[in-house]
Amino acid sequence: VQLVESGGGSVKAGGSVRLSCVASGFTESGNYVAWIRQAAGKGREGVASIYTGTDRTCYADSVKGRFAIWQDSADYTGYLQMNNLKPEDTAPYYCAFQVNYLTDPLSANEYAFWGQGTQVTVS
């Protein structure tokens, strides 16, 4: 599985950013896609995930109401829309992918496939 991310950048507090993740190299129709970040000096935090078979989503409490995850199954792309950004949202954001059933879709430890990461900086 290969994951290619795009988006990110620098934005003022209160602004918005959209991240994209194109996946390839898999055949299963139901998979998990998540966005996971790791701020400086902190552990990895899963902020949003989606099960592509049903579009079921879940979010970390820290981003609920501000972030939205969805997928476009036609072009195997996952998206993360981030609104009302705060300085504490600053981190590299990684797209992660897994084909098995996950007990905790927001846990970074559940994911075997990762993108290269894209930086989001909020000032």
Side-chain angles (χ1 to χ4, degrees), residues 68-86:
I69 186 172
W70 74 96
Q71 59 145 348
D72 183 341
S73 58
D75 59 6
Y76 306 107
T77 302
Y79 299 91
L80 183 69
Q81 177 69 38
M82 302 186 291
N83 298 325
N84 190 22
L85 283 161
K86 305 175 181 180

Side-chain angles (χ1 to χ4, degrees), residues 33-119:
V33 177
W35 290 93
I36 297 170
R37 66 187 182 187
Q38 186 168 16
K42 297 185 178 181
R44 296 182 297 181
E45 178 189 20
V47 297
S49 74
I50 184 169
Y51 178 63
T52 62
T54 61
D55 282 337
R56 181 180 179 185
T57 59
C58 59
Y59 297 91
D61 288 343
S62 59
V63 306
K64 279 182 181 176
R66 301 189 297 122
F67 289 14
I69 186 172
W70 74 96
Q71 59 145 348
D72 183 341
S73 58
D75 59 6
Y76 306 107
T77 302
Y79 299 91
L80 183 69
Q81 177 69 38
M82 302 186 291
N83 298 325
N84 190 22
L85 283 161
K86 305 175 181 180
E88 52 264 42
D89 294 318
T90 294
Y93 284 71
Y94 299 90
C95 176
F97 183 98
Q98 188 61 26
V99 300
N100 301 326
Y101 173 76
L102 300 182
T103 56
D104 184 357
L106 289 180
S107 172
N109 293 332
E110 299 264 25
Y111 292 88
F113 304 100
W114 293 74
Q116 78 281 4
T118 184
Q119 179 69 32

